[in-house]
Amino acid sequence: MPDIMMRLGRDMLVVEGAMGTMLQQAGLSTENIAPEYISLIEPETIKNIHRFYAFAGADCAISNTFGASEFKLAEYNLEDQLEQINRTGVKLARAGGAPHILADIGPSGLALEPIGEATLNDVFDAFERQAKALAMENPDAFLLETFTDIAEIRMAIFACKKVAPKIPVIASITCNDAGRMELSGTDPATAAIILEAAGADAVGLNCGLGPEQMLPLIESMTQATRLPVVVQPNAGLPIVDEEGNTVYPGTAEEMGAFAKGAYQMGVAAIGSCCGSTPDFTGAIADELYHKQALPTEGRGFDTPVVAGPRRHVVIGQGDTKLIGERINPTGKAELTEELLFGSLDTALRYAREQEAEGADLLDINVGAAGVDEYAMLPEVVRAVNDISTLPLVFDSRDPEALEAALRIYPGRALINSVNGDPASFEPLFALAKKFGACMIVLALDENGIPDSAQGRLEVIETLRARARESGQGDERLLVDSLVMAQAIDAEAPEVTLETMRLVKQTGLATVLGISNVSYGMGDRAEVNAEFFEAAKAVGLDAAIVNPAEVGEQAAGVRTEHAPVEDLTKLSMEELAEKFKSGEIFLPQLMVAIDALKEQRPRQALSSDKRPVVLFATVKGDIHSIGKDICVSLLDSQGYRVIDMGVDVSTERILNATRQTDPVAVCLSALMTTTLPNMKATIDAMHEEFPAIPVCVGGAVVTDAWATGNEAEYSSDAPSCVTLVRSIEQAD
């Protein structure tokens, strides 16, 4: 059997389609049973589904293990059969006859902090257990798919690489109709950069969107990476037919047309997702027959690119990027004191201010006497990432602190900094390789800072060679020619600029710590701004600065940033509007919600006199993340929310309504197969409690569907709060 990575990116590969659709066509209901468990009780059915797809032209079979992680199986009391379900899923996929077997892993079913209570270690452990079981059957690759949180899929990659480093990992994300991952707000290009840095062997897009909606996102992803890109759209966007059933309206012919367009955009493999059948696979196979994947020249980046979950920044292509330097305790007594006592208020204020002043990246430094850098660096990184859209720079030479921060950061960081002393570069190069980080390399070694520009260049060339030996190219390196104080040596700035000229001639990107030039001088801001302009004239790619000092000078050649507000001071209605418009994303929203909770009197939050809202995920559906977010927001606004959990029957909801007299009953559904159960609950509520409004929402619910079933519709969690509030006020 040929190695899939020898073909992926060379031969166009066809990936099989939906499993759930085929199970339904086979007459197998998954309402009260884990779809993955069907591999044990109806193995021939699963095997035949794989055969149908292989006969239609699929090169890659996907094992029936999408939800076979510990926590998802636990919803069905099947966690003790995790190994058997996963191994059987791979065996049956192989028995279908396709050349390549992809071991399928979906989201863990846990909600990560700050949205939920799960830690990164929790989800890592869950993925590690599932990956270990799947690896026992030696699949051709792991397929991570339908992830909506970039932090979670990073952990899945890490787990797979730990368990089976030789098995390739294909990491596929799901975007909403705004073109971003729902939970982390990550766009496809930024996701590709982050996933490649995390160690993915291929990246992709699947589910969520139909062919028409996915095409524009594909081009964005393919242009951001040289890795193979795998795409699997749904069979159109789901609609409700005349009988009230949810259907996917797309046709096989439309999927074939999509395959033609996606091929021209440079993808390496094409499949289909929800609602598709072997007919769709056949249409894709016909379109791709005997085609070779297009070359990747011109894609990706030849210079450093740093990414946070909501933005990426390319350094060395155009204008000078500003790295905000203020989150650094040196000379800042207030920040130092807060870090010593674990407070982050000043650090977060500096982050907001620098983003508003035009910074492109934020430098995070917590190195001060008495501060536990190992504990505080990841803590500050986590908190700043929650409130800022900017990518982060980790300013530390402590390998243990850096590793702790790099592991939890859901992006691609820039390490500041590495020098030519082997004691410095050996551990830090290893960390950069492990986490895919970029590095600032300094023109100094164990002998100090060379006096001449040529001497500094020689140190840089040595570091460059060491980086290449460790498998890291020029696109990972940002060179600091070192700025010395002009007050001590009047010629020092010119040596720095000359070094930078030489570095630019080698093709490497450059960075300078601008404020060092004015140390010991009077009007430091003016001196800094003047030197900054001189460095820009030589071709400076990035500057570590106080953005307030150079922002005006840089404004003429840079994209202006929108003003950054302190979200903790906004009302629920204002937050809802910003969330809906895409100005803020879920992590920022949750931080603001926590602040709103703190502002409410404690007795108001615990009072039994608060208006009651019932909330449940309907029968047959075990998804809870959307519900959990709504519950948290409603609670922050003074409602007593009775969270009934997931897979809740109509009768339980009716009983709870009788006992609590809620102002509203809210229902969530994320699966098309559970919409009939939502409808049944709505009908039962209308019959027994016609005066109590029923609010519905979830990935598969539309405004039209809700209206047709006489329910109130909420498109997202903030809208849920405003909807419930309007209902309460109407009473």
Side-chain angles (χ1 to χ4, degrees):
M1 183 177 294
D3 183 338
I4 191 171
M5 294 310 296
M6 294 292 290
R7 299 188 64 200
L8 195 59
R10 186 192 70 185
D11 305 327
M12 285 301 300
L13 300 183
V14 179
V15 182
E16 70 178 24
M19 175 63 69
T21 303
M22 295 298 289
L23 289 174
Q24 288 180 331
Q25 289 191 4
L28 293 171
S29 171
T30 58
E31 181 177 324
N32 297 305
I33 187 173
E36 297 75 18
Y37 186 60
I38 295 175
S39 296
L40 302 187
I41 59 176
E42 290 283 350
E44 285 302 314
T45 299
I46 301 297
K47 189 187 303 182
N48 284 334
I49 290 172
H50 290 303
R51 283 175 178 157
F52 294 149
Y53 279 119
F55 291 155
D59 300 292
C60 304
I62 303 174
S63 64
N64 182 33
T65 55
F66 175 80
S69 61
E70 176 184 359
F71 295 101
K72 284 192 171 180
L73 291 177
E75 297 287 346
Y76 301 96
N77 297 315
L78 293 171
E79 62 270 33
D80 60 337
Q81 298 187 59
L82 182 148
E83 180 179 321
Q84 184 183 8
I85 290 172
N86 280 283
R87 296 187 68 174
T88 301
V90 176
K91 289 177 182 177
L92 294 175
R94 181 170 285 117
H100 301 292
I101 310 304
L102 308 181
D104 201 19
I105 298 176
S108 65
L110 298 172
L112 280 167
E113 301 169 326
I115 297 167
E117 297 182 356
T119 66
L120 289 171
N121 287 335
D122 292 334
V123 297
F124 177 88
D125 292 344
F127 290 130
E128 183 180 21
R129 285 189 279 273
Q130 186 180 7
K132 190 174 294 184
L134 292 166
M136 291 178 181
E137 297 301 326
N138 196 31
D140 293 78
F142 293 112
L143 174 61
L144 314 177
E145 59 175 350
T146 324
F147 281 79
T148 60
D149 186 343
I150 198 71
E152 185 177 25
I153 195 170
R154 277 183 85 245
M155 287 298 113
I157 294 171
F158 293 160
C160 290
K161 289 297 183 180
K162 177 184 177 184
V163 166
K166 293 184 179 180
I167 297 179
V169 176
I170 302 169
S172 181
I173 66 166
T174 294
C175 290
N176 56 22
D177 55 8
R180 290 181 177 268
M181 298 175 74
E182 187 72 44
L183 295 185
S184 58
T186 313
D187 65 88
T190 301
I193 293 162
I194 294 170
L195 298 176
E196 182 173 353
D201 300 280
V203 297
L205 293 160
N206 79 287
C207 203
L209 303 172
E212 181 181 352
Q213 297 77 26
M214 188 175 284
L215 272 176
L217 305 185
I218 293 172
E219 186 169 18
S220 172
M221 178 171 273
T222 56
Q223 290 306 305
T225 180
R226 296 186 181 97
L227 292 181
V229 175
V230 180
V231 295
Q232 303 162 269
N234 289 339
L237 296 179
I239 60 173
V240 180
D241 63 17
E242 294 179 355
E243 282 122 29
N245 300 313
T246 302
V247 297
Y248 287 86
T251 66
E253 291 74 19
E254 291 169 347
M255 194 63 75
F258 164 82
K260 181 177 182 179
Y263 168 75
Q264 293 169 345
M265 290 179 179
V267 303
I270 302 175
S272 51
C273 210
C274 299
S276 65
T277 66
D279 288 342
F280 289 76
T281 303
I284 296 169
D286 289 345
E287 183 60 44
L288 300 184
Y289 186 65
H290 278 182
K291 284 185 177 176
Q292 299 292 301
L294 297 179
T296 60
E297 281 82 5
R299 288 167 38 180
F301 303 96
D302 295 320
T303 58
V305 55
V306 188
R310 292 170 288 282
R311 183 187 297 183
H312 68 272
V313 173
V314 182
I315 301 172
Q317 294 184 4
D319 57 326
T320 304
K321 305 301 181 185
L322 303 185
I323 302 173
E325 67 181 3
R326 295 181 64 198
I327 305 177
N328 185 328
T330 303
K332 300 184 183 73
E334 181 184 15
L335 178 58
T336 300
E337 185 176 359
E338 288 190 3
L339 291 174
L340 283 168
F341 289 96
S343 172
L344 307 181
D345 291 347
T346 298
L348 297 181
R349 174 165 58 84
Y350 284 166
R352 292 190 187 96
E353 290 173 352
Q354 290 181 109
E355 184 167 356
E357 291 158 356
D360 297 290
L361 303 97
L362 295 176
D363 188 86
I364 309 293
N365 185 321
V366 299
V371 174
D372 182 352
E373 201 171 351
Y374 176 78
M376 285 306 298
L377 183 60
E379 189 67 23
V380 175
V381 164
R382 184 184 290 110
V384 170
N385 180 66
D386 284 344
I387 62 126
S388 174
T389 66
L390 301 185
L392 302 183
V393 181
F394 299 168
D395 193 348
S396 173
R397 293 179 182 82
D398 182 336
E400 291 185 352
L402 278 171
E403 180 159 18
L406 288 164
R407 187 173 188 274
I408 63 98
Y409 181 53
R412 187 190 202 193
L414 173 62
I415 295 174
N416 181 16
S417 56
V418 183
N419 65 54
D421 184 346
S424 168
F425 69 70
E426 287 178 357
L428 298 190
F429 276 1
L431 284 176
K433 183 175 183 180
K434 180 177 180 179
F435 294 100
C438 295
M439 295 169 285
I440 292 176
V441 292
L442 306 181
L444 70 90
D445 57 19
E446 64 271 29
N447 299 314
I449 302 173
D451 294 329
S452 69
Q454 187 60 43
R456 294 184 193 184
L457 181 64
E458 290 172 4
V459 174
I460 293 302
E461 289 291 5
T462 299
L463 280 165
R464 186 186 204 179
R466 296 290 185 269
R468 287 175 174 171
E469 288 171 7
S470 68
Q472 299 168 94
D474 290 354
E475 76 283 354
R476 296 284 192 91
L477 305 181
L478 195 56
V479 176
D480 187 343
S481 301
L482 296 176
V483 178
M484 310 300 289
Q486 184 174 341
I488 297 174
D489 181 357
E491 302 301 319
E494 184 52 43
V495 175
T496 297
L497 295 178
E498 178 59 25
T499 304
M500 202 177 79
R501 290 188 190 96
L502 296 175
V503 170
K504 293 288 290 184
Q505 291 172 11
T506 71
L508 289 166
T510 58
V511 63
L512 292 177
I514 296 296
S515 61
N516 290 343
V517 73
S518 63
Y519 184 79
M521 301 182 75
D523 192 347
R524 296 196 63 184
E526 183 177 337
V527 174
N528 291 343
E530 183 179 338
F531 182 67
F532 175 65
E533 290 301 312
K536 279 171 54 184
V538 179
L540 180 65
D541 295 307
I544 303 172
V545 292
N546 178 349
E549 293 182 353
V550 301
E552 291 184 9
Q553 287 82 358
V557 293
R558 301 177 61 253
T559 300
E560 291 191 15
H561 292 249
V564 178
E565 296 180 86
D566 184 348
L567 299 178
T568 63
K569 297 180 180 178
L570 299 183
S571 68
M572 187 67 236
E573 288 73 20
E574 290 170 321
L575 288 169
E577 187 60 35
K578 288 185 176 295
F579 182 78
K580 191 177 292 292
S581 66
E583 292 180 62
I584 64 172
F585 303 101
L586 206 49
Q588 297 158 289
L589 177 65
M590 297 307 295
V591 170
I593 294 306
D594 286 342
L596 287 175
K597 286 183 180 180
E598 291 295 323
Q599 293 167 16
R600 297 186 68 85
R602 194 167 298 277
Q603 62 270 24
L605 292 174
S606 60
S607 172
D608 288 338
K609 296 180 180 180
R610 292 180 295 160
V612 174
V613 177
L614 278 183
F615 219 119
T617 301
V618 299
K619 182 67 177 174
D621 202 319
I622 62 169
H623 296 86
S624 67
I625 291 178
K627 171 184 66 63
D628 294 345
I629 297 167
C630 290
V631 168
S632 180
L633 265 63
L634 285 165
D635 179 69
S636 76
Q637 296 303 293
Y639 292 96
R640 184 164 72 91
V641 186
I642 298 175
D643 184 354
M644 300 188 68
V646 300
D647 192 24
V648 184
S649 68
T650 298
E651 190 53 42
R652 281 185 58 202
I653 293 170
L654 292 174
N655 284 337
T657 305
R658 296 181 193 114
Q659 295 169 12
T660 60
D661 188 28
V663 297
V665 171
C666 299
L667 306 176
S668 173
L670 272 78
M671 299 165 60
T672 56
T673 54
T674 55
L675 279 178
N677 296 336
M678 179 177 273
K679 175 177 171 52
T681 303
I682 295 170
D683 292 344
M685 282 292 301
H686 287 336
E687 182 175 348
E688 185 168 346
F689 305 102
I692 298 179
V694 179
C695 307
V696 297
V700 296
V701 184
T702 64
D703 194 2
W705 188 93
T707 300
N709 287 282
E710 300 181 39
E712 304 289 340
Y713 172 69
S714 170
S715 60
D716 52 49
S719 298
C720 177
V721 175
T722 55
L723 175 60
V724 171
R725 181 174 289 156
S726 68
I727 290 170
E728 180 195 5
Q729 291 172 348
D731 288 344

